[in-house]
Amino acid sequence: MTTRHGRMTQLLLQREVTFRTAPSAAAFAMKYDTGFEFGNNDDRQEDPTINNDPLMVKQDAGDPVPTGSLPAILCLNDIGQWLALLWGAPVTTGAGPYTHTYTLSLNDRLSALLELGYLESGSELYERWLGVMVNTLSWNVLEAAQSINVGLMGAIQVDPKPGAVFDAAPTAYAKNRACSKQGIVADVIGSNTLGNIVEASVEITNDLEGQSYADGLAGFGDFMLGQPAITGTLRGVFDTTSNNLFEHGQQQTSKALILQSKNKAGDATLTLTCPNVEFSEPKHKIESSKGLHVTVDYRAHAGTAPTIVLVNGIASY
C-alpha cells in the first residue's frame, strides 16, 4: 500500500493567457500550509424514482466546479502572485528593490492553472485545475504568526488526471516572511489619529460568481466580478481624547487606513492603502477590570481607489 504524506506534495501555479486553457509551462512552486483544501463541490443529483427498494437510487453526476482555500505564511515574495490574481498585474518600477503597485478596479480578473502533486517516487499523482481565480484574500497585520488565507474558485478540473507534472523545474521564491513586530496601522504614517491599535484584520473580496454556459462543456465558462470590498476589524486601546477610534465610529468619520507589513529586516513591505474607510459604531463594553479596548469594524468606501504596494527583490509578476 502506498502511504501519502503531506510533506511530499507540491503546489504549482501559473497564470493563464486564455481562460480555462493551460499555458506553456513556466510555473511557480507556491508555499502553502496544512489546511489547504481545493477540489470539486459535490454537485451530484438525487434520483427520486420509486424503485421497489428500501434504499434510494444511486445519485447522478452533476456539473462539479472546484472551490477551496489556501493558508500560507505571509511571504512577501509569494504574495505578489496571489495579488496579481486578486486585482490584476501590477505596475512595476525600480531596479532592485522593485515596487509593484496593484490598484483596485473593475477590470477583469486574471486566471491561473493550479496543480497539486503527490510526489512519492514511483507512485506520483497529479490533480490539475484550470480557470482558477482568487475570490478573497485575508490576513491580520499584528498576528504573531504572519499568515494569509486565499479563497479560490476554479472553472474545471482536468479529466483524465495528468500523467506527469505540469512543470518539472518550477520557480520557487525564497522565503521572505512578514514579522508582526514590524506591522503598522495608521491613517497617516508618522501622524496617526487612530490610537494604539493592537489587532487589525483585513479581508479583500472580488465577490466572483461562476457562469455555467450552455456550450456542452463541464464547469464554469466564465466568472463575473461582483461587488469588490475591503473590510476588517480594528481593536485599539480605549482612550477619552477628542480624536480616537471610538469617536470615529460614533461620528461615522471617514478616515484613510494604511495597513503595512514588513519583514524583519524592513527591506520588503506590503502596504494596503484605503483612502476612505468608515467605521461601525461601537458599543461601550467593560470587558476587564484592567485596561479597556474598543473594537470596530471598518469598510472601505467609494472615492480614490485603494492600492496595494509590494516592495521586494522580485523583478516582475
Side-chain angles (χ1 to χ4, degrees), residues 27-50:
F28 295 86
M30 303 300 292
K31 300 175 186 66
Y32 59 106
D33 202 349
T34 54
F36 170 78
E37 180 180 79
F38 193 72
N40 286 337
N41 289 332
D42 190 353
D43 195 32
R44 296 170 185 169
Q45 305 300 309
E46 292 287 1
D47 182 348
T49 301
I50 304 300

Side-chain angles (χ1 to χ4, degrees), residues 112-140:
L113 173 150
L114 190 70
E115 178 181 276
L116 179 65
Y118 297 85
L119 304 183
E120 281 81 5
S121 180
S123 60
E124 294 88 348
L125 175 67
Y126 304 99
E127 301 282 357
R128 189 178 301 164
W129 300 272
L130 300 174
V132 176
M133 303 185 76
V134 169
N135 190 37
T136 62
L137 178 64
S138 60
W139 69 96
N140 189 319

